[in-house]
Amino acid sequence: MSDAITISGGGTTAVATDDLFADAARLGAAVAALEAAAGDAAGLAVELDALGADRDAGGFAGRQTLWNGPHPAGATHRLECALRDRRAEGDELRSALIASAERYGLTEQLVDGAWRVGGGVAGYLLGSFLVSPGGAALAGGVALAAGANTSARQVWGATALDEWLAANRGVLSDPLFVRAVRAAVDSVDEFVLGALHVPGGEKLAALIGPHVGAPESASVLLALAAALRAPALVDGPVRVRRTDRDDRAGDGHAPGGHPSEGPERTVRAPAGFGDLAGRIPGGEGPQIRIERYGEPGDPRWVVYVSGTVELGVVAGEQPFDMVNNLHGIADDSPLDALRRAGASSGAGERAVREAMSAAGIAPDDPVLVAGHSGGGIIGARLAGDPSLGVIGALDLGGPNDSAPTRPGVPNVAVEHTEDLVPALGGAGHPSPERIVVARDALEPGRSYDGEILPAHSLERYRQTAALMDESDDPRLAEFRELLAFTGGGEGAVSEWVARRQ
């Protein structure tokens, strides 16, 4: 675990820790101060020269005695030169710090490119192998073993496989494994090429690998599920209801009447990343929180979206599940026409949009969105929708590196290096609007019993958000300044529960 955060993106290739950027900012301030002092010294030297000329013209005698030594203008000139020398040294050091961040960023891009190409070729070869007789036998054996493990669990409880996963769960949080998964999820299309034995497919995979990512891969999976009429990954209609005070941790049943009916609480406007992260819902209660600020005729809104509540791939009553996540990651390609239930977005996203409408959010109202995990997927999609007035989005641990962005709408994506979930969004594409904040969230050597993905917990992302509030990085400072759009003061809170029908 580390308190250091690494910041990248925002229209620059620089990648470095917040400490390095802070040092560069402090050096920049020192250079500016030195330049100002040198300018003041130069001005003083001119005035002293003029004063000396006026004194000589008046016929003063004993000049050296009166001025107590050499002419003071000369000393001031020397001070000016010394200040400018120090300014040049400081500027050179600041440039070196920034250049090192740029070189690190370029190196990261080269490494990411190698992972993408390698993942595509590996996906093609794996697809070719699994449709061969030997691969089919291996796949069948794995399926039988998985089925046997499930049956054994139903009869005897935990099995040897469960015990092995529990004993080796650290693999899931290994940064190298996380990076491998990030490359793999970009390679479903290459896997299909291999399965179809497309001639020269391994070369084609290397060419298309950098251009086809997680959204296209998710669309392939959804299209295959629809074509095979599989029950998995099929989404359905959703409804939202506003909760009352006694229902915040209850079963989700809200009072009757219009969906927007229900009590409101007051809350102070959020002042930073820590406030935003601390208000994101978690657990089994309401999944959506909406805050309204400003005057009745000029409302401003902050929307908070819960992370994934259930991990099922068959749609159930809980819409914040893996079905919703996969629909959220998928792009809007023609393959999506094969989705059933007529939904081009996940149930969770549709629930958030319905809650926003019921709360009174108009399309052109300014809105800031904050979400964790699957809620980050929803926030990114809302931020990318030109029909909404979203001015920014905060994503904690969502797989959104490949999500489209909208010019002028910043998206701060926070990713723990040991967290597998952000890697499910693939390697992503550079965007001036996407700022990535990374941190090592786990303590080396510590056993996180009972947590399958400890780096993904909302509480640890809240800790990272608090560290971001201490950062002097201009990109994070600019996003914090967005919060002034609320006008400060107090706002009204409503909470919403969503259920599939």
Side-chain angles (χ1 to χ4, degrees):
M1 181 177 67
S2 172
D3 287 344
I5 58 176
T6 300
I7 306 167
S8 60
T12 174
T13 58
V15 179
T17 65
D18 181 53
D19 290 341
L20 187 149
F21 285 124
D23 289 341
R26 283 191 288 268
L27 276 171
V31 165
L34 287 168
E35 179 64 28
D40 291 340
L44 179 60
V46 171
E47 292 179 3
L48 290 172
D49 278 334
L51 181 60
D54 290 343
R55 180 205 57 209
D56 292 341
F60 287 100
R63 179 176 60 185
Q64 296 298 327
T65 302
L66 179 64
W67 287 84
N68 192 26
H71 199 300
T76 308
H77 279 303
R78 289 192 294 274
L79 174 61
E80 176 195 355
C81 293
L83 288 171
R84 293 196 185 281
D85 287 342
R86 301 295 82 74
R87 188 208 70 82
E89 292 174 359
D91 197 39
E92 183 179 354
L93 180 56
R94 175 179 174 274
S95 298
L97 286 174
I98 295 175
S100 67
E102 293 282 354
R103 287 193 294 271
Y104 182 78
L106 291 172
T107 301
E108 281 290 295
Q109 289 183 359
L110 289 173
V111 173
D112 285 341
W115 275 96
R116 292 190 194 191
V117 173
V121 174
Y124 175 84
L125 295 176
L126 181 60
S128 299
F129 172 70
L130 288 181
V131 297
S132 67
L138 176 60
V142 171
L144 287 174
N149 184 71
T150 301
S151 301
R153 183 187 297 111
Q154 294 171 347
V155 177
W156 296 297
T159 66
L161 179 58
D162 294 322
E163 294 175 358
W164 184 91
L165 288 173
N168 296 275
R169 66 183 61 192
V171 174
L172 300 178
S173 297
D174 185 286
L176 185 61
F177 178 76
V178 169
R179 195 157 200 170
V181 169
R182 190 181 292 274
V185 297
D186 282 336
S187 305
V188 172
D189 45 343
E190 289 91 340
F191 177 90
V192 172
L193 287 175
L196 296 176
H197 289 291
V198 175
E202 68 278 8
K203 297 179 181 179
L204 182 60
L207 290 174
I208 68 175
H211 305 288
V212 178
E216 295 80 8
S217 297
S219 292
V220 169
L221 289 176
L222 292 173
L224 288 175
L228 296 174
R229 299 185 178 274
L233 306 182
V234 178
D235 215 333
V238 67
R239 60 181 174 85
V240 296
R241 306 291 287 179
R242 188 158 162 182
T243 67
D244 60 20
R245 287 189 178 91
D246 298 329
D247 185 50
R248 295 181 65 203
D251 60 5
H253 296 292
H258 190 273
S260 66
E261 290 182 359
E264 287 184 335
R265 305 187 315 280
T266 58
V267 66
R268 294 290 300 178
F273 292 105
D275 286 344
L276 293 174
R279 300 178 189 184
I280 295 174
E284 293 287 345
Q287 309 104 321
I288 306 162
R289 172 185 171 117
I290 298 178
E291 297 173 358
R292 184 186 70 248
Y293 299 92
E295 299 299 325
D298 185 24
R300 289 89 185 282
W301 308 83
V302 184
V303 177
Y304 306 86
V305 188
S306 166
T308 304
V309 180
E310 293 183 359
L311 299 179
V313 295
V314 176
E317 187 181 27
Q318 173 58 255
F320 286 75
D321 58 5
M322 296 303 295
V323 179
N324 168 71
N325 293 346
L326 198 62
H327 279 262
I329 294 174
D331 68 349
D332 295 324
S333 70
L335 290 171
D336 285 349
L338 293 175
R339 297 188 193 184
R340 287 188 282 174
S344 60
S345 58
E349 179 186 343
R350 285 179 277 122
V352 172
R353 289 177 179 270
E354 184 176 335
M356 290 171 62
S357 177
I361 300 179
D364 57 348
D365 285 350
V367 181
L368 190 139
V369 187
H372 170 241
S373 187
I377 298 175
I378 295 170
R381 287 182 64 93
L382 296 178
D385 186 348
S387 69
L388 296 176
V390 176
I391 64 170
L394 172 64
D395 162 29
L396 304 181
N400 287 317
D401 283 357
S402 297
T405 58
R406 187 155 54 99
V409 181
N411 189 324
V412 176
V414 187
E415 303 177 354
H416 292 156
T417 56
E418 311 95 338
D419 187 2
L420 185 64
V421 175
L424 299 177
H429 310 290
S431 168
E433 280 69 39
R434 180 174 290 110
I435 303 162
V436 181
V437 179
R439 172 178 171 248
D440 297 337
L442 302 183
E443 298 179 19
R446 175 181 169 183
S447 176
Y448 292 87
D449 293 335
E451 297 183 76
I452 297 177
L453 296 174
H456 189 60
S457 75
L458 177 56
E459 185 56 38
R460 291 188 177 89
Y461 273 106
R462 286 171 174 163
Q463 294 169 5
T464 303
L467 294 172
M468 292 163 61
D469 280 330
E470 301 174 4
S471 171
D472 294 325
D473 184 270
R475 291 165 292 187
L476 299 186
E478 184 177 354
F479 190 90
R480 284 196 300 267
E481 291 171 1
L482 276 180
L483 296 176
F485 90 106
T486 63
E490 290 189 341
V493 181
S494 63
E495 294 181 316
W496 305 76
V497 167
R499 293 288 183 263
R500 280 197 186 92
Q501 295 179 337

